[in-house]
Amino acid sequence: TEVMGAVADATAAVAQVATETAYPLKTCVVSGEELGSMGEAVSYEHEGTLIKVCCDHCLPDVKKDPAKFVAMVKQATAQP
């Protein structure tokens, strides 16, 4: 069971790295602060698009007008 636990931990770590590298922005879409500069970034999903903000205080702005922030993420994803 130790091996299974180690495999599960490794799988979770790989999934976390894949998620972080897949997100195209390094800054909060609301405040412009660097993600992680105010603790762990807060994630929010709207219609299948992941949006990350720097803190809980920015989340209400995203929830108020999610389409605006989805567009920002999609634009950043489209850039080479």
Side-chain angles (χ1 to χ4, degrees):
T1 59
E2 272 185 51
V3 172
M4 294 301 287
V7 169
D9 290 346
T11 301
V14 168
Q16 179 69 24
V17 168
T19 299
E20 288 175 3
T21 55
Y23 191 72
L25 299 171
K26 303 277 185 233
T27 57
C28 174
V29 292
V30 176
S31 71
E33 294 289 328
E34 185 174 333
L35 292 175
S37 66
M38 303 183 81
E40 189 172 339
V42 178
S43 297
Y44 178 76
E45 188 173 329
H46 179 73
E47 296 180 355
T49 299
L50 178 65
I51 303 167
K52 291 188 178 184
V53 293
C54 62
C55 65
D56 288 330
H57 296 286
C58 289
L59 195 54
D61 288 352
V62 172
K63 289 181 176 182
K64 186 169 39 176
D65 188 8
K68 172 184 174 182
F69 300 106
V70 165
M72 292 170 72
V73 172
K74 287 187 176 184
Q75 180 181 358
T77 303
Q79 295 177 355

